[in-house]
């Protein structure tokens, strides 16, 4: 008989986080019957750290107290705008398939021992009673997230990020080359990420939210003395077609792409967990949240990551160094596994540069969310962004943040000087 205790935190758990779910998860992994003795659970993320899902930690004792597991349940209830958005993005199907099938294959392709992991071990995935994926708890293995409110990752963290992305991309390229069926699977089942092309841009809730982000930025930044007025004039010209241009720029299968890979799709600091040596030296990274993964130009991952994740002190000044970190590992991994036509560093730079309009999108819509100071006064849930009035309060806090202002101005000046804001 389970005993979840009576703390306030545990009383707030949803009805679908049950002993039955935990039992099924363990039995699916162990391929045998288990008896649950007791479990405790609680929310695993803070407000503003996760949007499309509710995440809970679980500690379970089973088989007469002889065994214990630390799990993480990622739940995607069909409520409000989240449910409709998850359906449009095909997020649950994509993420459960990625964790259960693709990532283990990728690990075997790039490391004979399977030591190179691209995500947490997946125990179970179900749609009943709500869409849920159960993972091993990376925190129990010593991994932790960086604080997104500190303004971004330093060079050591970013170099590790770029090397991990390179291995992910290389593994997907090796997988695609194994057989026509593998490549067809990637093309058809990972055909889009942030925007479903079957949805008209004017009907997309996500694109509408990003449009409101641009509108808010223009309104707020018009009072910034340090921002070149020419930037704002160009943004005003972009505003009427912004949603359509976002939909176009995130198309993964680009005819001129020099190489193709599986993009993670949402590589910002809260979708990365790090493990340290002596509490200070970062040694290992694990990626989480593959809900909008997409197969196509790797420039999408490179741009999204290098615009959203680094600290402002290295975002522009050390961009080429970070792209070199990526290319070296991509090249070495592919060569070691006999891949023909390994992309050159020029190929990598071409994919990055050709997708830099997405960098503008990141700068004025995603970055203010990612560096927003924590608040106990605002509801930062996904649905809150779409509530009239409250959504505007959230955007006020995001776009007036000190760290955002310090970070975005040099980005926009750089994009404008190179003719990308047009």
């Amino acid at each position: 008989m389970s005993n979840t205790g009576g703390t306030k935190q545990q009383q707030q758990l949803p009805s679908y986080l049950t002993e039955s779910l935990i039992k099924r998860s363990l039995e699916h992994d162990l391929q045998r019957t288990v008896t649950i003795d007791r479990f405790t659970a609680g929310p695993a993320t803070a407000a503003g750290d996760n949007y499309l899902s509710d995440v809970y930690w679980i500690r379970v004792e089973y088989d007469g107290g002889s065994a214990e597991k630390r799990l993480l349940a990622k739940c995607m209830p069909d409520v409000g705008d989240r449910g409709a958005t998850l359906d449009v993005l095909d997020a649950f199907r994509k993420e459960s398939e990625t964790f259960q099938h693709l990532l283990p294959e990728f690990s075997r392709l790039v490391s004979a021992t399977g030591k190179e992991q691209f995500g947490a071990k997946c125990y179970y995935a179900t749609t009943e009673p709500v869409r849920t994926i159960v993972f091993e708890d990376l925190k129990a293995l010593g991994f932790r997230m960086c604080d997104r409110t500190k303004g971004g990752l330093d060079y050591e963290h970013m170099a590790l990020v770029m090397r991990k992305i390179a291995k992910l991309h290389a593994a997907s390229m090796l997988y695609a080359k194994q057989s026509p069926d593998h490549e067809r699977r990637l093309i058809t089942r990972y055909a889009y990420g942030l925007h479903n092309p079957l949805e008209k841009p004017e009907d997309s809730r996500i694109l509408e939210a990003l449009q409101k982000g641009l509108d808010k930025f223009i309104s707020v930044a018009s009072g910034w003395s340090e921002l070149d007025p020419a930037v704002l004039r160009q943004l005003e010209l972009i505003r009427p077609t912004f949603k359509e241009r976002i939909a176009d720029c995130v198309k993964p299968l680009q005819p001129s792409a020099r190489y193709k890979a599986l993009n993670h799709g949402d590589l910002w600091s809260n979708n990365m967990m790090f493990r340290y040596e002596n509490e200070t030296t970062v040694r290992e990274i694990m990626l989480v949240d593959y809900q909008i993964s997409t197969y196509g130009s790797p420039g999408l991952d490179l741009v999204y990551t290098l615009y959203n994740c680094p600290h402002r002190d290295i975002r522009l000044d050390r961009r080429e160094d970070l792209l070199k970190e990526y290319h070296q590992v991509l090249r070495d991994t592919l060569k070691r596994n006999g891949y023909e036509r390994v992309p050159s560093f020029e190929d990598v730079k071409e994919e990055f540069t050709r997708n830099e309009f997405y960098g503008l999108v990141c700068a004025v819509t995603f970055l203010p969310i990612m560096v927003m100071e924590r608040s106990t006064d605002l509801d930062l849930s996904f649905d809150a962004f779409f509530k009239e009035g409250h959504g505007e309060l959230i955007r006020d806090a995001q776009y007036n943040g000190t760290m955002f202002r310090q970070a975005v101005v040099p980005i926009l000046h750089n994009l404008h000087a190179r003719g990308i804001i047009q």
Side-chain angles (χ1 to χ4, degrees), residues 4 38 42 58 88-89 93 97 106 109 117 127 146 164 194 201 216 219 222 240 242 260 300 308 310 318 331 391 411:
T4 58
R38 61 187 61 82
I58 301 167
V88 168
L89 297 180
R93 193 277 309 164
E97 180 172 329
F106 288 1
L109 281 169
Q117 289 184 280
T127 58
C146 289
K164 193 70 169 186
L194 183 71
K216 171 57 70 172
S219 172
S222 61
F242 192 54
K260 299 187 291 290
L300 295 172
N308 287 324
R318 304 206 63 182
R331 179 196 63 203
I411 294 175

Side-chain angles (χ1 to χ4, degrees), residues 6 12 32 40 76 116 122 165 171 194 244 251 282 288 290 299 366 410:
Q12 294 172 344
R32 63 174 177 81
T40 53
M76 309 171 207
E116 186 67 54
C122 179
I165 299 172
L194 183 71
E244 290 76 12
K251 290 178 180 176
V282 63
V288 303
Y290 285 80
F366 294 120

Side-chain angles (χ1 to χ4, degrees), residues 28-72:
H28 184 266
D29 177 62
L30 297 172
Q31 293 294 295
R32 63 174 177 81
T33 301
V34 302
T35 302
I36 304 298
D37 300 308
R38 61 187 61 82
F39 74 91
T40 53
T45 55
D49 284 347
N50 201 278
Y51 290 97
L52 284 176
S53 311
D54 298 326
V55 186
Y56 301 92
W57 60 264
I58 301 167
R59 181 176 177 176
V60 55
E61 295 178 44
Y62 60 100
D63 288 353
S66 64
E68 179 181 303
K69 290 281 187 186
R70 297 280 294 275
L71 306 173
L72 203 73

Side-chain angles (χ1 to χ4, degrees), residues 37-197:
D37 300 308
R38 61 187 61 82
F39 74 91
T40 53
T45 55
D49 284 347
N50 201 278
Y51 290 97
L52 284 176
S53 311
D54 298 326
V55 186
Y56 301 92
W57 60 264
I58 301 167
R59 181 176 177 176
V60 55
E61 295 178 44
Y62 60 100
D63 288 353
S66 64
E68 179 181 303
K69 290 281 187 186
R70 297 280 294 275
L71 306 173
L72 203 73
K74 183 174 185 178
C75 307
M76 309 171 207
D78 189 9
V79 294
D81 289 291
R82 284 197 302 177
T85 301
L86 287 163
D87 288 338
V88 168
L89 297 180
D90 196 18
F92 173 79
R93 193 277 309 164
K94 187 179 292 185
E95 185 163 39
S96 58
E97 180 172 329
T98 301
F99 273 97
Q100 290 184 306
H101 303 294
L102 278 190
L103 298 188
E105 284 289 326
F106 288 1
S107 293
R108 285 189 285 270
L109 281 169
V110 298
S111 62
T113 62
K115 184 179 179 181
E116 186 67 54
Q117 289 184 280
F118 298 103
K121 178 182 178 180
C122 179
Y123 280 80
Y124 186 59
T126 182
T127 58
E128 297 296 335
V130 302
R131 291 168 285 207
T132 302
I133 307 176
V134 180
F135 303 97
E136 65 181 338
D137 187 350
L138 291 174
K139 286 185 179 179
L141 301 178
F143 288 89
R144 65 176 188 263
M145 286 193 299
C146 289
D147 186 346
R148 66 173 178 80
T149 67
K150 298 298 184 182
L153 303 177
D154 62 21
Y155 189 85
E156 287 68 29
H157 284 80
M158 281 304 306
L160 197 61
V161 170
M162 300 307 290
R163 293 194 288 267
K164 193 70 169 186
I165 299 172
K167 288 180 182 176
L168 173 68
H169 288 179
S172 71
M173 294 166 71
L174 293 166
Y175 177 84
K177 278 292 184 182
Q178 278 190 325
S179 73
D181 284 345
H182 282 185
E183 184 171 31
R184 188 159 44 248
R185 181 180 191 176
L186 293 176
I187 291 172
T188 57
R189 299 181 72 80
Y190 296 84
Y192 61 87
L194 183 71
H195 174 67
N196 185 335

